[in-house]
Amino acid sequence: MSQFVKHFAVGTLLFMMLLLGNVRSQTPASPYSPEHPLDLNNASYEEIAKLPIPQELAERIYYHIEYQGPFTSVYQLTQIPGMTPQLFVRIKPLVRIEPYQPVSEREERIQQLYYYLDRWEGNEGTSQALIDAWIERALEPHYINTIRYDELLNLQGVSPVDAAAIVRYREQVGKISGWRDLRSANYLSYFGYRNARNFISFTPPKVSKAFHGHYLMRIHNTPFLTEEAEATAIIPPESIDNNYPDSYMRLFGSWGRNYKVGISYWHALYEPFMEVGSGGFHVPRFKMYVGIENQHLGPLQIRKVYVGNYALAFAQGVVMDNTDFFLPRKSGFGFRKRFLGLTGDNSRTRQYKLTGLATELALNNHVLFLFTSYDRRDAILNRTPVYENGKPLYPVNQLIVLDQRFQYAPGDQLRENLGLSWRDAVGEWLYGFRYQYEPWLATQVGVTYYESIYDRYLRPDITDIVNPDNTNQIDIVDNEIKFTYGGPVSDGGHLLWKNAKSFRRVYGIDFQTVFRNVAIQFEYGELYKKGGAPIFGTNPKALVASLYFQYNSFNVLALYRNYDVAFDNPYQRSFSNYRRFKRTIFQDYFYLQNPLYGQLYTNNPQPQAEEGFYLYSRYQLNRKMVFTLEYDNWKRKADDASQFRVVGTLEFRPIFPLRISLRQKYQGREVQNTISTEYFENFEFRGTLRARLSRYDELGILYMNALTKFRPRPRLYYPITPGIEYDPVNRGANIASPGEALGGFFTHNFNQWLKLRGFLGFYRGFFWNFEDTQFIVMNSTRGSLRYWISAYSRVSPKISLRLKFTRDYPFPLTNVHARDTNNEEIPPSGGKYFQGNWIQSPQTIYYLEMNYHF
């Protein structure tokens, strides 16, 4: 590996130096000819600059068209200052004069923001609501003098301090008239100012009765990550009835600015097709919503009404945030934002999707959200029934988020024989409200409540999930499993639903305000249990509180969270480092009755029960150097084990166009712990060298080195021969897991219509990376060579295509024990038992995406 690293690094550096030396010295030939002349009046500046003329002259021609109008004759070019007869004769056969084709305001915004749309369209983040809102607002910007504080909070890169600065400055001056005027707002950071520019305008929006929107189609065969990949590999082939790739399609549209519609469909990799309908008419199971916004009924504002699938998120996510996906350290700031409020749901959320009716009303300083939903949830059911009036009822053991929604867990023959499907296993009727009072600008006090009613009893029982052969593993049940909500405390009917068997009630209060350049936020929630005293009483509770200071070149976020182990709220998505059931037996899928039950941990969107303090700071020392620091120290409430995480990043620009990024992480779990033998330390260094070239082109090198140290497994570490104090033969226990990676990457924009990106590298051990718009986690014990290349093409101003191809070559196995077709050992030949000398399992991965703006 060391020789490979040296040669690879030297070769990549030479390659970069060669490109850097030649990238500016080469003058490309003009792409135009008498047979294919340039349409001058409808050309962009980049297209005009490709004519064989000086750059200053190209700028004058472009400004003439932009500000004085299009040309009516090619001979008008002779009137442009700097146009000599020789230059005119040179370019005259290369251009043509056509009537100017005006574009709509929306098309003009697409042209201006194509670079941002490229990143947003392919984003696979956990908050699809944010992405949809950014695309919609970028193409139809808010009017700066009517936008509300809560709408500003949902914009990319706008902090609570920035949002408060804008609305307070508007209140102070009466009207914001332009960018220079906005820049005068006190406490508005330059970063917030630059990001807000993409989403706001200074002229009132024109009333348009046209239908417009965005359509996305994404198809790929990217495999599952780490533990999920291992578990899904055990699925019996007969359980998979198709080999179709992961397919996701979504459409959202608006009639004018106030009438919304959306529809989406997601089919996971190798998942069975699911349809709805009756008789001979069936359609795929999709999500859909219709919404109306910004209506008035006298003094009452009907801000939003949504029917169908909708998404909700309030405050810090302690009580309500209904996404299926877990995002570590979801603080609500920076890249860890959530969409706050009510919106239509076009995301890939399926388990916790809300289907019904929701509305947002406002009267003066009072805001009220009302919502109700009915849908069926995936769950593991107990095989032991509860009898009611002599009728067996199979209760819910655990709710579960599934990657592939098979009707039954493949291989779980006992539940299949009983007809206990885990798909749509339990019905949930949910209803609730949120009341929010805004006493003054940028200050909110809120109360949130919801109740879930289920048509099955809740009876969590670990013995109905763990394989009976591993009962010795559950002698001491982890507290996070033991305190799962359910049992007689959850039993109860409902006056309006005769099928109701159990319930769950969660409520909370929250507060947020901004004082000058300081934002203060907190949310407190409780899970109601029969007999428990409400509000700061004996019920399980959760708390998040944060303090954020912001300056132009410096900001600090301090956050404290404390979640009781028994606070089992399936809609909680507040800040945490780990997801629920981390370091429990549910994480070790090989102990469970079915390997796919490991998704109780791997797909769990709830945060782990933690108590800890988190600190984040970013400081721009000067124009060339930026330093960021993350520090987190927390205690896992289930076993009182302390853990920590420290990440420091230094970005340095010694000379243009080079940018150096150095990132060091140190994370671990305390060694001295009387309850658990779990211990680890993780060191990870990641360095990148980037050369930022013209037209957003980029060349770079990535190097990663990591080491995880842990206690060895006792069954491999201790003597295996009875009566022998130390067994010298047994040395199979590892106490460390190293990782290393080295690669080079590039981005080349041929023009604003075509872009090529790629990566080539070697990795061994655990390695994560951003591959174009995808976040990928890999692991190879032998080492692997990986490359990918993606092409992004704007076929037209409204249509874009993205195609990505990935190939992963693991180092081959050369010591495979050879067996015949009956799985019998092949006798040794020449004293060698290992006869398989070249076994390799390369992966070929593709990704196709299409976007259409209309």
Side-chain angles (χ1 to χ4, degrees):
M1 174 64 182
S2 59
Q3 291 297 323
F4 175 83
V5 169
K6 291 178 183 177
H7 291 304
F8 191 95
V10 171
T12 308
L13 283 171
L14 290 174
F15 176 68
M16 287 186 61
M17 293 171 62
L18 184 64
L19 282 178
L20 286 170
N22 290 303
V23 69
R24 298 181 184 276
S25 63
Q26 297 178 355
T27 303
S30 173
Y32 312 115
S33 66
E35 293 78 18
H36 301 285
L38 172 66
D39 181 358
L40 196 60
N41 282 334
N42 296 293
S44 64
Y45 167 73
E46 288 79 7
E47 293 171 323
I48 296 175
K50 293 179 182 179
L51 290 168
I53 55 176
Q55 181 179 350
E56 295 79 6
L57 185 56
E59 291 177 355
R60 295 190 185 110
I61 294 174
Y62 176 75
Y63 290 145
H64 183 282
I65 299 171
E66 187 74 13
Y67 299 109
Q68 300 182 36
F71 294 106
T72 58
S73 168
V74 70
Y75 293 100
Q76 289 179 309
L77 288 170
T78 60
Q79 303 172 11
I80 304 297
M83 179 65 74
T84 65
Q86 293 82 2
L87 289 174
F88 178 73
V89 170
R90 186 185 305 170
I91 70 169
K92 180 176 180 294
L94 303 180
V95 300
R96 72 180 194 272
I97 303 300
E98 299 287 347
Y100 175 68
Q101 300 172 2
V103 297
S104 67
E105 182 180 350
R106 186 179 181 86
E107 291 174 328
E108 188 175 350
R109 295 282 296 180
I110 292 175
Q111 294 282 12
Q112 295 172 351
L113 299 170
Y114 76 91
Y115 179 72
Y116 293 98
L117 294 176
D118 167 25
R119 291 187 295 173
W120 295 337
E121 289 168 348
N123 192 290
E124 292 201 19
T126 58
S127 183
Q128 189 62 56
L130 275 176
I131 300 300
D132 288 351
W134 293 345
I135 292 175
E136 187 175 20
R137 288 285 71 85
L139 300 182
E140 289 189 349
H142 285 286
Y143 181 37
I144 186 67
N145 290 303
T146 58
I147 187 172
R148 302 190 306 269
Y149 171 74
D150 58 291
E151 292 174 319
L152 283 166
L153 283 179
N154 285 326
L155 300 183
Q156 183 189 35
V158 177
S159 71
V161 175
D162 296 323
I166 292 174
V167 296
R168 285 173 176 166
Y169 181 69
R170 184 180 65 197
E171 184 80 3
Q172 176 184 351
V173 302
K175 181 181 180 181
I176 302 176
S177 57
W179 295 117
R180 181 173 295 182
D181 191 11
L182 177 63
R183 194 69 189 95
S184 302
N186 290 329
Y187 308 114
L188 175 62
S189 69
Y190 180 70
F191 183 73
Y193 166 76
R194 288 296 302 270
N195 281 284
R197 292 177 60 172
N198 297 324
F199 305 103
I200 58 178
S201 70
F202 297 93
T203 57
K206 298 178 181 178
V207 179
S208 172
K209 294 300 182 182
F211 183 72
H212 51 265
H214 172 234
Y215 171 75
L216 163 73
M217 179 186 70
R218 182 186 299 149
I219 300 173
H220 64 91
N221 68 335
T222 307
F224 296 105
L225 307 179
T226 55
E227 298 103 326
E228 294 170 84
E230 296 174 5
T232 53
I234 310 174
I235 298 176
E238 61 271 13
S239 298
I240 301 177
D241 59 6
N242 69 77
N243 59 353
Y244 294 120
D246 187 298
S247 305
Y248 174 54
M249 302 161 202
R250 80 168 190 267
L251 166 73
F252 70 83
S254 301
W255 177 262
R257 299 177 71 93
N258 299 329
Y259 301 93
K260 314 290 183 180
V261 64
I263 186 171
S264 63
Y265 171 74
W266 179 35
H267 172 266
L269 187 69
Y270 305 154
E271 182 180 64
F273 284 103
M274 289 164 283
E275 298 178 333
V276 294
S278 60
F281 180 75
H282 290 82
V283 296
R285 293 182 61 170
F286 56 86
K287 295 168 65 175
M288 184 176 181
Y289 67 83
V290 177
I292 302 175
E293 298 186 358
N294 304 316
Q295 305 298 308
H296 292 81
L297 189 62
L300 179 66
Q301 300 177 47
I302 307 176
R303 290 182 177 176
K304 295 179 181 180
V305 177
Y306 278 90
V307 178
N309 296 113
Y310 59 90
L312 290 173
F314 302 127
Q316 308 301 302
V318 171
V319 176
M320 175 57 68
D321 185 352
N322 72 308
T323 178
D324 275 359
F325 302 97
F326 174 79
L327 182 65
R329 297 172 295 283
K330 195 172 184 179
S331 62
F333 291 85
F335 296 105
R336 295 292 191 265
K337 296 186 79 166
R338 61 173 58 84
F339 185 94
L340 294 173
L342 166 66
T343 186
D345 185 10
N346 251 346
S347 70
R348 291 177 297 138
T349 292
R350 299 189 293 189
Q351 168 70 341
Y352 293 110
K353 70 181 187 292
L354 299 176
T355 306
L357 173 66
T359 184
E360 178 185 358
L361 310 172
L363 179 63
N364 298 325
N365 295 342
H366 306 271
V367 181
L368 179 65
F369 293 85
L370 299 172
F371 49 92
T372 183
S373 163
Y374 176 79
D375 216 315
R376 300 201 66 81
R377 307 298 183 207
D378 299 335
I380 300 175
L381 301 181
N382 285 338
R383 295 173 300 179
T384 304
V386 173
Y387 287 90
E388 186 177 84
N389 299 324
K391 181 181 177 181
L393 300 175
Y394 293 92
V396 171
N397 193 314
Q398 296 281 348
L399 299 173
I400 186 170
V401 178
L402 301 176
D403 286 319
Q404 300 155 305
R405 300 185 69 217
F406 297 101
Q407 184 175 4
Y408 300 95
D412 191 346
Q413 199 61 44
L414 291 175
R415 282 183 173 84
E416 186 171 352
N417 294 338
L418 292 171
L420 302 180
S421 173
W422 63 352
R423 189 174 71 200
D424 297 333
V426 57
E428 180 194 47
W429 174 31
L430 180 146
Y431 58 86
F433 73 90
R434 172 177 171 78
Y435 168 71
Q436 187 173 290
Y437 177 58
E438 301 171 356
W440 53 83
L441 286 176
T443 299
Q444 298 175 350
V445 180
V447 177
T448 308
Y449 170 90
Y450 85 83
E451 180 170 358
S452 288
I453 314 296
Y454 305 98
D455 61 3
R456 290 183 185 270
Y457 292 108
L458 304 181
R459 294 292 187 271
D461 184 359
I462 190 173
T463 61
D464 236 332
I465 292 180
V466 175
N467 192 314
D469 295 336
N470 297 311
T471 52
N472 61 311
Q473 299 292 332
I474 58 175
D475 290 338
I476 302 177
V477 179
D478 189 276
N479 285 330
E480 204 161 32
I481 299 175
K482 180 180 179 181
F483 287 101
T484 299
Y485 179 76
V489 72
S490 66
D491 294 350
H494 198 280
L495 291 175
L496 301 180
W497 192 23
K498 65 178 182 180
N499 292 331
K501 304 296 181 187
S502 57
F503 70 94
R504 186 191 321 249
R505 296 183 188 132
V506 182
Y507 47 86
I509 58 175
D510 60 89
F511 170 79
Q512 60 174 297
T513 189
V514 177
F515 177 72
R516 296 184 177 180
N517 63 332
V518 180
I520 304 170
Q521 300 180 345
F522 91 88
E523 182 177 13
Y524 171 85
E526 284 190 3
L527 170 65
Y528 173 77
K529 284 192 172 183
K530 293 178 183 178
I535 308 298
F536 306 109
T538 57
N539 286 323
K541 55 188 69 70
L543 171 69
V544 177
S546 67
L547 198 63
Y548 177 73
F549 296 85
Q550 175 179 287
Y551 299 89
N552 256 332
S553 58
F554 175 70
N555 59 58
V556 176
L557 170 66
L559 183 145
Y560 171 79
R561 78 278 193 186
N562 189 346
Y563 313 140
D564 286 351
V565 176
F567 187 79
D568 181 13
N569 174 16
Y571 294 97
Q572 182 190 7
R573 306 290 182 269
S574 50
F575 183 101
S576 72
N577 255 282
Y578 291 135
R579 63 178 81 230
R580 188 173 177 83
F581 297 141
K582 172 74 172 178
R583 300 200 173 275
T584 70
I585 197 171
F586 290 166
Q587 185 178 357
D588 299 327
Y589 65 85
F590 41 83
Y591 285 134
L592 309 182
Q593 293 178 9
N594 188 284
L596 294 187
Y597 290 168
Q599 293 174 98
L600 287 169
Y601 158 70
T602 58
N603 289 346
N604 201 316
Q606 292 177 239
Q608 185 183 70
E610 299 177 352
E611 179 184 8
F613 177 78
Y614 172 79
L615 182 71
Y616 172 85
S617 179
R618 180 184 184 274
Y619 179 42
Q620 183 173 352
L621 284 78
N622 50 50
R623 294 178 63 89
K624 293 185 176 182
M625 192 173 298
V626 177
F627 178 71
T628 60
L629 174 67
E630 283 185 273
Y631 170 75
D632 197 4
N633 192 297
W634 74 97
K635 177 175 64 176
R636 183 174 183 265
K637 298 289 285 290
D639 58 8
D640 284 339
S642 296
Q643 301 181 70
F644 59 88
R645 180 179 182 270
V646 183
V647 180
T649 304
L650 176 66
E651 291 200 8
F652 179 53
R653 293 179 295 173
I655 58 171
F656 180 81
L658 294 181
R659 180 187 294 263
I660 300 171
S661 177
L662 306 175
R663 179 182 185 272
Q664 178 66 53
K665 181 179 78 169
Y666 176 43
Q667 183 172 349
R669 180 182 173 107
E670 68 171 13
V671 180
Q672 301 298 327
N673 178 18
T674 59
I675 296 180
S676 171
T677 60
E678 297 283 349
Y679 149 76
F680 79 94
E681 281 185 313
N682 173 251
F683 306 85
E684 181 185 295
F685 170 78
R686 180 176 288 248
T688 57
L689 172 65
R690 284 185 170 89
R692 297 286 179 86
L693 310 177
S694 59
R695 299 179 185 273
Y696 298 107
D697 285 1
E698 180 182 70
L699 290 170
I701 299 175
L702 163 69
Y703 175 71
M704 187 277 294
N705 185 284
L707 177 67
T708 302
K709 299 193 299 183
F710 43 82
R711 284 195 176 100
R713 298 179 181 178
R715 66 176 181 272
L716 299 178
Y717 183 69
Y718 295 113
I720 58 175
T721 305
I724 298 180
E725 183 177 351
Y726 173 70
D727 190 341
V729 178
N730 183 36
R731 300 189 179 183
N734 245 346
I735 62 169
S737 176
E740 194 169 16
L742 177 67
F745 54 90
F746 75 92
T747 300
H748 177 55
N749 292 274
F750 293 92
N751 48 51
Q752 65 173 338
W753 303 94
L754 179 62
K755 177 173 68 174
L756 204 64
R757 302 186 68 189
F759 171 87
L760 169 65
F762 173 86
Y763 69 94
R764 178 184 293 157
F766 182 83
F767 176 55
W768 58 267
N769 198 19
F770 289 96
E771 297 186 352
D772 201 3
T773 59
Q774 292 181 293
F775 176 73
I776 303 296
V777 178
M778 299 149 278
N779 191 18
S780 175
T781 56
R782 305 187 307 277
S784 188
L785 185 69
R786 185 181 181 92
Y787 70 86
W788 61 266
I789 187 166
S790 74
Y792 175 78
S793 174
R794 297 176 63 215
V795 181
S796 75
K798 297 182 178 181
I799 301 176
S800 66
L801 294 175
R802 188 190 311 272
L803 178 62
K804 176 170 170 273
F805 176 82
T806 305
R807 188 73 169 167
D808 195 297
Y809 288 96
F811 277 23
L813 282 171
T814 58
N815 59 345
V816 178
H817 199 164
R819 292 174 176 267
D820 60 21
T821 55
N822 295 320
N823 200 27
E824 297 291 338
E825 293 184 14
I826 297 177
S829 175
K832 296 180 179 180
Y833 285 89
F834 299 96
Q835 298 177 359
N837 59 2
W838 188 266
I839 294 182
Q840 189 179 38
S841 301
Q843 286 185 324
T844 301
I845 305 167
Y846 62 84
Y847 178 99
L848 173 65
E849 178 186 295
M850 185 193 79
N851 288 275
Y852 174 51
H853 294 274
F854 58 91

